[in-house]
Amino acid sequence: MTAIPQVRNRRAVLLGAVCVLALAGCSEDPDAGTNGVGKLAADKIQSKSVTAAGAADAVRLSGTVVTSGRTYKLDMRLKSDGGSGSVTSKGSTFGLLRVGEQLYLKADADFWNSNGDSGVGDSLHGKYVKVPQDDPSYKKFSGFTDKDVLLSSLLTLHGSLATDGHHDQNGVRTIRITGDDGSGGTLDVSLEGKPYPLRLVRAGGAGTLTFSDWGKSFAVTEPADDDTVDYGKQLPSS
C-alpha cells in the first residue's frame, strides 16, 4: 500500500527539479557565449559597432532612406572601391554601379522617358550610362554606392544613448541601443562574432535599413563598351 505514495513522491521531486532547472535557465546570463558587447555602455556599443563596420571589406544594405522629403528604397552591395545595386524612388527603379570614381546609371526606357527624354529612352534602355562627375546626379547618387560615406552618415543615433535589451535579427542575437528612448533612432548590434550593425531605424521616420553579408567581398567591373553610353559632360534631363 506504500508503493503508490512513494512513486508519487518521486514524481513530485523530479517535477520540482525540472522546475528549478527551468528557472535557472531563465536566469542565465543573456550575454553568455556572445562577443560581450551587450555588457557595455550604449556609447561603447555604438563605437565598437561603427569601428567594426568601417573595418569590414564589404556589406549589403537594404531598406529605405528618406532624405529631403523623398523616399529611396535601396538594395546595395558596397565595398571600399565601388558598389552596385538598385534604387527605387517614386515608382521608378534604376541600377547604380560605381567602379573607382566612375559612376554608371542603368534604367529602362520608361525611366528615361518619364524624366522628359522620350527621344532617347529606347536607345538608353538597359544601357550603363556614364554619370559625369560635374553632373548634379553624380553627387546625388554616388553616395548610395560609397560604403564609407553612406555608413558614416547613417550609423548615428541622436540624443542620449541607452541600451534597450536583447533582441534577435534574422536568427542572430543582438543588443539594441537607442537615442532618446527611440525618438533619436535605434540600432541593433550583433552579439555573435564581430559587433556589426544589423538593423537601423533612423530618427524622425527617416527610414529603416538592414545590414548583412559583412565582409563578403564581390567584384565590381567596368561594363562592356557596347553596353555603355557616354554623354560627355552632362546627362539627359533626369
Side-chain angles (χ1 to χ4, degrees):
M1 298 293 293
T2 60
I4 293 177
Q6 289 176 350
V7 171
R8 289 175 176 170
N9 287 338
R10 284 196 294 270
R11 287 177 177 173
V13 171
L14 289 171
L15 181 60
V18 170
C19 291
V20 170
L21 288 173
L23 290 173
C26 292
S27 62
E28 286 180 356
D29 182 359
D31 291 299
T34 71
N35 55 27
V37 298
K39 296 181 179 181
L40 302 178
D43 60 334
K44 297 295 185 182
I45 297 172
Q46 183 184 39
S47 176
K48 285 185 173 295
S49 181
V50 170
T51 298
D57 292 333
V59 64
R60 181 174 183 176
L61 180 154
S62 58
T64 58
V65 171
V66 181
T67 179
S68 301
R70 189 166 182 175
T71 299
Y72 297 92
K73 182 179 179 181
L74 309 179
D75 187 2
M76 301 295 303
R77 297 188 70 187
L78 310 172
K79 56 191 301 187
S80 59
D81 60 347
S84 65
S86 65
V87 179
T88 300
S89 181
K90 292 186 176 180
S92 294
T93 299
F94 54 93
L96 290 176
L97 170 66
R98 183 175 63 83
V99 184
E101 296 298 318
Q102 183 58 62
L103 179 68
Y104 300 88
L105 192 154
K106 183 178 182 180
D108 60 19
D110 289 341
F111 172 86
W112 294 106
N113 291 339
S114 67
N115 284 284
D117 290 290
S118 57
V120 300
D122 290 340
S123 63
L124 297 182
H125 179 84
K127 297 289 187 179
Y128 287 94
V129 179
K130 282 188 175 183
V131 182
Q133 294 188 26
D134 292 335
D135 191 279
S137 295
Y138 187 93
K139 182 178 180 180
K140 185 175 184 179
F141 295 130
S142 62
F144 288 149
T145 68
D146 191 313
K147 173 179 174 287
D148 294 335
V149 169
L150 195 56
L151 292 184
S152 65
S153 64
L154 291 175
L155 296 179
T156 301
L157 300 179
H158 302 280
S160 178
L161 299 183
T163 56
D164 187 28
H166 293 69
H167 297 267
D168 179 282
Q169 180 64 28
N170 292 329
V172 178
R173 289 177 293 172
T174 67
I175 182 71
R176 181 171 296 169
I177 57 177
T178 67
D180 280 349
D181 295 324
S183 63
T186 69
L187 181 66
D188 278 51
V189 177
S190 177
L191 289 174
E192 301 177 16
K194 295 183 179 180
Y196 291 127
L198 297 183
R199 184 174 185 268
L200 171 71
V201 179
R202 301 182 72 204
T208 299
L209 294 161
T210 59
F211 307 89
S212 61
D213 293 345
W214 286 105
K216 294 183 179 180
S217 191
F218 60 97
V220 285
T221 58
E222 296 277 0
D225 289 343
D226 56 359
D227 285 333
T228 304
V229 176
D230 187 351
Y231 267 93
K233 294 184 177 181
Q234 187 173 2
L235 287 179
S237 175
S238 60

